[in-house]
Each structure stands twice: as C-alpha cells, then as structure tokens.
Amino acid sequence: MKRYLLFAVLSVLSLCTYAQKYACVDTDYILSNVPEYKQAQKELEEVSLQWQKEIEVKFQAVDKLYKAFQAEAVLLPNDLKTQKENEIIAAEKEAKNLQKQRFGSEGDLAKKRSELIKPIQDRIYNAIEKVAQEKNYSVVFDKSSGATILYVDGKTDISDLVLAELGYKVNSSKR
C-alpha cells in the first residue's frame, strides 16, 4: 500500500513539474554583447587605476616620513619623538581612510559601479522578465553563475503558503 501511495505522490509531483516551463540565460554572454557595458567597465578600470595611484602616493609619503624618523630618532628628545610618531600614525590613518573611502564595500568605486552598471543590468533583467512572460516560462536560471534564479512567475511561488503553514501571518502586499 505504501508503495502505491509513494508512486501516486511521485507521479503527481512529476506532472506538476512537467507543466512548468523553464529556461536559462547566460548573463556573461549577454553583457559581453552590450557595448554600454564594455564602456562602463573601461571607465571603472580607469577610475580605479587613478584612485589606486592616489593611494600609493599617500602610502609612499608615510613610508618617507617613517624612514626620515628612523634616521633621526636617535637624536630627537622624547617629546619630539612622540610628536613625529603621531604624525606618522596620522598620515598612515589618512591613507587607510582614503583607501577605504575609494575601495571599501560602500566606497566610491562601489557607488560608481552601481551608477554605471546597475541601469544596464536592470535593462537586461527587464528584458529577461519580458521574454519569460511572453514565452510563459515559470523560472529562468542564469547558467553563467551557477543556478541563480532571475525570474520566477508569481504563480509558482508558494512562500506565503509555507509561512501560513508554519503559523506566521502573511502580508502579501509587501511582496
């Protein structure tokens, strides 16, 4: 009896899965064929190199201060030594802050990347969604980055049902 029940459940599940249409895209391929993306990447690279040089100059200045301090440290009184050490520490901190400001996770480069690349990505994702809807695809996978789901038809999303089953209130207006 258990075998028949299991067979029936598996049959129903396979029919449900069979009724769904799936597709995939290669976003790397798409991006490589978008001239605006190539231009944005080039601009980001140029800005990044410029900022990297700016930071290298700051760290070279710190290194120069440190070497000068080492050369004259023996001759300096303690209060002047402390002052010079504090200057070196401040200069190093300034260089590290600039590095974080330019290349940190929320730094200038990340903002510039978002400014240049996000509109292009949005256009691509909107096109994916439009094609998926026109061709009646329920799910679209991105094959260039593993199994990233780019579009899911709202009809196939049972997240609210699962939350309700778990006893949580569902506010589907937020989705």
Side-chain angles (χ1 to χ4, degrees):
M1 180 69 173
K2 288 182 182 179
R3 282 179 160 170
Y4 294 114
L5 183 60
L6 179 61
F7 179 75
V9 168
L10 289 175
S11 297
V12 169
L13 285 175
S14 67
L15 286 175
C16 289
T17 304
Y18 182 73
Q20 304 298 319
K21 287 179 69 177
Y22 301 95
C24 69
V25 295
D26 184 344
T27 53
D28 288 343
Y29 169 76
I30 294 169
L31 287 170
S32 70
N33 285 286
V34 175
E36 296 91 355
Y37 179 76
K38 291 178 184 177
Q39 181 59 36
Q41 286 293 94
K42 183 179 176 185
E43 189 175 332
L44 283 172
E45 188 176 314
E46 290 170 359
V47 167
S48 176
L49 287 173
Q50 176 186 346
W51 288 339
Q52 186 61 39
K53 287 177 184 175
E54 179 183 9
I55 291 167
E56 286 174 8
V57 167
K58 293 274 187 187
F59 278 110
Q60 288 171 354
V62 171
D63 190 50
K64 187 176 177 181
L65 283 173
Y66 182 71
K67 285 179 181 176
F69 172 74
Q70 282 183 322
E72 59 186 25
V74 178
L75 305 173
L76 295 176
N78 283 339
D79 59 334
L80 202 52
K81 270 187 192 179
T82 305
Q83 181 184 352
K84 294 275 188 183
E85 287 171 345
N86 289 338
E87 287 175 16
I88 293 169
I89 291 169
E92 186 176 22
K93 186 176 179 181
E94 181 182 335
K96 287 181 179 181
N97 285 340
L98 180 62
Q99 186 175 34
K100 184 179 176 182
Q101 175 191 343
R102 297 289 194 212
F103 296 105
S105 61
E106 294 180 19
D108 295 339
L109 187 63
K111 290 174 186 171
K112 188 76 169 172
R113 179 176 287 120
S114 179
E115 172 190 319
L116 295 173
I117 304 283
K118 185 154 178 15
I120 298 166
Q121 289 175 329
D122 289 345
R123 280 186 23 233
I124 291 169
Y125 292 138
N126 289 337
I128 290 169
E129 183 176 5
K130 183 177 179 184
V131 169
Q133 289 173 346
E134 287 173 356
K135 301 289 185 183
N136 292 319
Y137 292 121
S138 299
V139 179
V140 177
F141 295 95
D142 182 1
K143 69 180 185 177
S144 67
S145 61
T148 303
I149 298 174
L150 296 175
Y151 171 79
V152 177
D153 185 14
K155 298 174 206 165
T156 61
D157 188 350
I158 60 168
S159 302
D160 289 341
L161 295 173
V162 172
L163 286 169
E165 180 67 28
L166 291 168
Y168 295 104
K169 282 191 169 186
V170 179
N171 187 359
S172 55
S173 66
K174 289 186 178 180
R175 291 191 85 179

